[in-house]
Amino acid sequence: MNQFALVGNPNTGKTSLFNTLTRSYETVGNWSGVTVEKRVGTLRGRGGRLIDLPGLYSLLPLTPDEGVAARFLMEETPSSILNIVDASQLERNLYLTIQLLECGRPMLIGLNMVDVARSRNIAVDAGALQRELGVPVVPIVARKGTGCAEVLHALGGLEASRSGGFRIDYGPAVEAGAARLAALLSSGGTASASDPRWTALQLLEGNEAVRASLPAAVRPAEVDSILEQTAEELESSGLESDIPSYLRRIRTERIAQICRSALDRSGQR
Ligand code: GDP
Ligand code: K
Ligand code: MG
């Protein structure tokens, strides 16, 4: 059966959307290691399961709750992603979106709070956003149910597709490090459920939840040596030696560029 993970920043309307899209749900205990309950719902009309993940700003966990999503993406059977994005806070929300796109899974964006955005004269061009990100973007008002039928319909067409080739080029040093890590992860029967390049980038970013979920055959010393060499190469090419802050800067620049094409702030109050 097809499975969709509902992922987004806190207070973006995930639970509202979950309740609208599902006809019934069950609580299947807590997520491992945290006191957040795991809710799994059955999608209206089309079947399939929707899983409500705890809200988070980044896949890089700052709290145990935030580690749930990273672990889920590492360990669970491949599922598609329904990413809910607050249209009134587009720039901030896109940081998580980019990390999710890098997973390479089928993904749909529910662009929520378009009523709030409109009231602040923030116009998000969903078509432009869709072109920039390479995945379908459906404007919704989850609290009223507006656009939710369209989300259900679009989820039906998502199953066969991969996300549409969104890719950030992080430059020679990081790309070489990511390729070496990805090769290490793909070698000798160590494959996990996650995409090797995504896993590599998360390791370069210092994601402890991802690191802890690596298959046992991956030797930590080998991971560390690639991380060290990447940091040295980054520094010797005149860039910062701290890989996480470098990744953050490159992503933030790309987000600014996406917002320039998708956001009309001309009448913003
Ligand atoms: P979650 O934290 O992501 O699960 O978000 P919730 O579903 O709990 O929603 C947070 C708050 O935003 C609640 O008060 C919702 O009623 C409200 N909300 C959700 N969607 C919308 C929307 O599209 N427009 C407006 N104006 N409010 C919304
Ligand atoms: K909430
Ligand atoms: Mg919620």
Side-chain angles (χ1 to χ4, degrees):
M1 191 177 22
N2 217 9
Q3 179 166 285
F4 301 88
L6 182 56
V7 197
N9 289 12
N11 290 312
T12 50
K14 291 181 301 301
T15 299
S16 308
L17 184 62
F18 182 92
N19 292 338
T20 307
L21 294 183
T22 57
R23 50 187 154 82
S24 61
Y25 76 85
E26 49 186 321
T27 298
V28 289
N30 286 349
W31 291 100
S32 68
V34 295
T35 55
V36 180
E37 65 179 24
K38 181 173 181 180
R39 295 206 307 161
V40 179
T42 305
L43 286 167
R44 274 176 209 286
R46 55 176 312 283
R49 305 200 310 158
L50 185 63
I51 300 174
D52 195 11
L53 286 166
L56 72 171
Y57 291 104
S58 159
L59 288 180
L60 190 67
L62 298 176
T63 66
D65 286 8
E66 290 186 344
V68 166
R71 278 196 297 276
F72 176 87
L73 293 169
M74 282 294 287
E75 292 165 3
E76 298 255 340
T77 49
S79 53
S80 306
I81 295 172
L82 173 51
N83 174 214
I84 187 157
V85 164
D86 179 347
S88 73
Q89 308 265 4
L90 185 65
E91 198 147 3
R92 181 168 79 174
N93 278 239
L94 285 180
Y95 197 79
L96 176 63
T97 299
I98 279 176
Q99 294 179 311
L100 295 173
L101 285 169
E102 286 177 340
C103 293
R105 298 195 179 177
M107 180 161 140
L108 174 80
I109 292 178
L111 183 67
N112 195 33
M113 307 273 183
V114 291
D115 57 336
V116 177
R118 200 176 296 126
S119 74
R120 295 185 194 157
N121 285 324
I122 300 167
V124 180
D125 180 342
L129 194 57
Q130 184 165 314
R131 283 191 298 280
E132 289 286 339
L133 301 178
V135 295
V137 175
V138 182
I140 57 177
V141 180
R143 188 160 71 180
K144 290 194 208 137
T146 313
C148 293
E150 285 78 1
V151 169
L152 268 184
H153 180 76
L155 286 178
L158 205 59
E159 287 150 29
S161 69
R162 306 287 291 169
S163 65
F166 177 89
R167 193 179 172 103
I168 293 180
D169 181 347
Y170 290 102
V174 164
E175 290 299 335
R180 287 182 62 202
L181 283 169
L184 178 67
L185 298 168
S186 306
S187 68
T190 60
S192 69
S194 63
D195 175 77
R197 183 169 187 268
W198 174 83
T199 312
L201 289 169
Q202 291 298 316
L203 291 171
L204 286 162
E205 201 175 354
N207 191 325
E208 291 300 331
V210 165
R211 197 180 172 111
S213 302
L214 286 177
V218 178
R219 292 186 28 234
E222 283 189 69
V223 172
D224 285 334
S225 112
I226 298 172
L227 294 181
E228 274 162 36
Q229 196 184 337
T230 305
E232 280 164 23
E233 279 170 23
L234 198 59
E235 194 170 18
S236 67
S237 54
L239 300 158
E240 51 262 75
S241 61
D242 183 53
I243 306 170
S245 48
Y246 173 77
L247 293 178
R248 188 155 195 101
R249 179 165 67 77
I250 300 296
R251 286 178 179 148
T252 304
E253 286 170 6
R254 178 66 169 266
I255 289 168
Q257 176 210 320
I258 294 167
C259 287
R260 276 194 295 278
S261 85
L263 212 49
D264 174 11
R265 290 195 181 89
S266 52
Q268 191 175 345
R269 278 182 290 195

